[in-house]
Amino acid sequence: MPTLTFQLNDVPDGGMRTFDLGDALVLVTRDGDAVHAMNGRCPHAGANLGEGVRCGDRVVCPWHHATFHAASGALTEPPALQGLAAYTVTRDGAQCTVDPAVPLERPAPAPQGRPEEHTVIVGGGPAGFMAAQTLRQEGYAGRVTLLTAEPHAPYDRTALSKGYLSGKVQEADLPLGGPDWARTHGVDLRAGTRVTAIDRASGRVTVSGTGTFTADRVLVSTGSQPVRPDRPGTALDGVFTLRTLEDARALRDAARGADLVIVGGSFIGLEAASSLVQTAASVTVVAQEDEIMSRAVTPAVGRAVRRLHEEHGVTFRLGAELDRLDGDGQAVTGVTLRSGETLPAGVVLLGTGVRPVTDLLGDAADEKGAVHPDALLRLDPDTLAAGDIASAPTVLGEMRVEHWRVALQHGMVAAYTLLGRAGGADGESMGGEGTDVRVPFFWTQQYGKSLRYVGHAESLHDTACWGDPDAYDFMEFTFDGDRTVVASAMGRDRALAAFAELLRMGRAPTPTEIRAGEFDLVERLTA
């Protein structure tokens, strides 16, 4: 692998740049005479980090907003699961040389906590996984037991409706952290273990058939489960929800050559439609709303994405309400709408929402099933709640967010809380900040095009758009009074990453500024 040689002024002061060596992409950051080099590709999905943004000590990936420390490459925000390999920079005057074939060895973290401590994590989704991983990466010396009802180690659930259904991602590629993650991280993984009770006062966690665990601290991250609408026929064979690997495997096999009807016009159903349209005989999406994705984007954006689906053969019934699922006594044969129209269906996917699984937390849950931890995710000093079940503070106020990256963020926050380091380990570790400085973010990919979404809004009554949704090149903003609280975008990754950082710092442009016309959000960030 060749070495990299460059001049100090080739990298802007306070900025960053990537250099392509063919076999390696090297990211270089500079602050005055201090120069640092690291792997230039995001370990999450391989994006060129030089096409993202730098905000102080943060380097933000343009695709999915994983964030790394600008000097060390340490991970500060998921969805990446580890930091960047760092390289030695040698200086001869203004000339700098980097050898990417020799990464720096990171010192082992100092032991944290006592070996006799026991942390039990209930739930093997992204929050539980990230908490366990962060505890070990930060030197936690106690026992970590992860209990999950699924018969698998934690895996990438985001791939199920995208690459897995389409056949581009195989089951062997799904495990988070690789196939041997639990052993290499010293995690006692108990897959296929159903927790039946948690006694928060004593720390006892009861599991079905195998007794109890006694914990010093318990993290509950039990996620969500799909909601089946109260309509006749939803229990027929051939009717699916999509949450687990088993769900995805069965749906993929059943849809091959079948007439598939998807009930629900939000992201999970649309991703499944784009993944299965090549193998199903037909795909029809039924939605009550007048346009798809109507809770997140305006009709103009929804129409543009719908047109993309229609160009690939998906048909839609909008403003249509499900009346019943028809069958032959055992298997589904059709979907009847309130209008009286019946659609032939050999397979039905119900993308009709989820509800948080908080039965184990009893009266801590509100009427909607959510629990309300503080910014450090504590329900009480020894019980934490994270992920889909937690309505927690964010930069935009308290909310429950069913997004993959948010759940991973919660896992990091929970780990630092368990370590007693809520302020972060040092200048290179920001994961210990609370949820109240976190920005909600999610993405969807359909037919190779990505829609990315930053922030949260309860309604879309006040919006503005830069660019052209029909060209898949736009940023759409949502306002709440005199605040800009959401930006969604296609084809403007760097600008969206800049907006996310501005929102995080309380510097988002105002509605008046945005309505006045387009300007460079990256320049605004670095001004």
Side-chain angles (χ1 to χ4, degrees), residues 206-242:
T206 304
V207 299
S208 178
T210 56
T212 63
F213 294 86
T214 301
D216 295 284
R217 278 86 52 86
V218 178
L219 169 62
V220 183
S221 55
T222 40
S224 298
Q225 65 182 22
V227 173
R228 288 180 179 252
D230 185 16
R231 295 289 188 273
T234 58
L236 288 166
D237 290 347
V239 179
F240 296 89
T241 56
L242 181 53

Side-chain angles (χ1 to χ4, degrees), residues 157 221-226 243 353-357 387-389 400 402:
R157 204 183 304 277
S221 55
T222 40
S224 298
Q225 65 182 22
R243 182 70 178 175
V354 298
R355 70 168 183 85
V357 179
D388 285 5
I389 68 172
R400 190 178 73 84
E402 298 163 0

Side-chain angles (χ1 to χ4, degrees), residues 243-381:
R243 182 70 178 175
T244 68
L245 174 56
E246 285 71 28
D247 294 337
R249 186 189 297 137
L251 173 63
R252 180 197 59 189
D253 294 344
R256 191 172 292 116
D259 292 314
L260 169 64
V261 175
I262 297 171
V263 181
S266 62
F267 296 99
I268 191 76
L270 295 171
E271 289 173 358
S274 69
S275 297
L276 293 170
V277 70
Q278 296 300 319
T279 56
S282 67
V283 177
T284 303
V285 175
V286 174
Q288 292 187 33
E289 298 79 14
D290 292 333
E291 193 50 84
I292 61 172
M293 305 187 301
S294 61
R295 294 184 182 180
V297 297
T298 62
V301 175
R303 282 193 299 271
V305 176
R306 174 165 54 86
R307 179 169 54 84
L308 183 63
H309 279 269
E310 290 170 339
E311 290 171 353
H312 286 81
V314 178
T315 59
F316 289 84
R317 295 292 189 274
L318 301 178
E321 189 173 352
L322 174 67
D323 183 68
R324 66 180 186 272
L325 303 183
D326 302 310
D328 60 7
Q330 180 173 352
V332 69
T333 59
V335 174
T336 296
L337 308 179
R338 285 288 174 90
S339 66
E341 180 183 10
T342 296
L343 307 172
V347 175
V348 174
L349 171 61
L350 299 174
T352 46
V354 298
R355 70 168 183 85
V357 179
T358 49
D359 300 347
L360 295 171
L361 291 171
D363 59 7
D366 64 19
E367 67 280 359
K368 295 183 179 180
V371 295
H372 299 263
D374 64 15
L376 300 180
L377 299 178
R378 298 171 297 197
L379 291 173
D380 57 53

Side-chain angles (χ1 to χ4, degrees), residues 8 36 41 55 87 111 168 260 271 274 290 306 342 344 350 359 399 403 413 427 461 472 510 515:
L8 182 65
H36 303 276
R41 293 206 178 277
C55 181
Y87 313 123
K168 296 177 181 177
L260 169 64
E271 289 173 358
S274 69
D290 292 333
R306 174 165 54 86
T342 296
L350 299 174
D359 300 347
M399 62 188 68
H403 300 162
V413 171
H461 71 278
Y472 312 116
T510 67
R515 287 194 179 98

Side-chain angles (χ1 to χ4, degrees), residues 73-219:
L75 178 69
T76 59
E77 292 268 17
L81 305 179
Q82 63 275 333
L84 306 172
Y87 313 123
T88 299
V89 179
T90 57
R91 291 273 305 275
D92 183 4
Q95 181 170 291
C96 306
T97 302
V98 176
D99 184 358
V102 186
L104 291 169
E105 289 191 17
R106 295 188 187 276
Q112 305 287 317
R114 297 172 289 108
E116 61 270 23
E117 290 178 358
H118 187 198
T119 294
V120 172
I121 299 171
V122 181
F129 165 85
M130 200 66 184
Q133 170 141 310
T134 304
L135 284 171
R136 289 303 189 220
Q137 288 177 338
E138 295 295 331
Y140 179 62
R143 295 166 55 204
V144 177
T145 300
L146 193 156
L147 309 174
T148 174
E150 292 196 56
H152 315 282
Y155 59 91
D156 185 354
R157 204 183 304 277
T158 67
L160 296 182
S161 57
K162 303 180 181 74
Y164 181 78
L165 286 183
S166 69
K168 296 177 181 177
V169 173
Q170 304 305 311
E171 288 191 22
D173 303 320
L174 293 175
L176 293 171
D180 205 22
W181 167 79
R183 185 188 64 81
T184 58
H185 284 76
V187 174
D188 182 8
L189 172 65
R190 304 293 181 98
T193 300
R194 186 169 299 279
V195 175
T196 58
I198 297 173
D199 186 331
R200 291 164 57 184
S202 66
R204 286 195 302 272
V205 178
T206 304
V207 299
S208 178
T210 56
T212 63
F213 294 86
T214 301
D216 295 284
R217 278 86 52 86
V218 178
L219 169 62

Side-chain angles (χ1 to χ4, degrees), residues 397-444:
E398 182 183 316
M399 62 188 68
R400 190 178 73 84
V401 183
E402 298 163 0
H403 300 162
W404 181 258
R405 180 175 181 259
V406 170
L408 291 169
Q409 288 173 326
H410 280 195
M412 292 186 74
V413 171
Y416 280 94
T417 300
L418 291 164
L419 291 167
R421 284 166 32 197
D426 48 42
E428 297 185 359
S429 183
M430 299 162 64
E433 295 174 335
T435 55
D436 53 345
V437 298
R438 308 289 168 151
V439 178
F441 167 82
F442 74 89
W443 74 95
T444 182

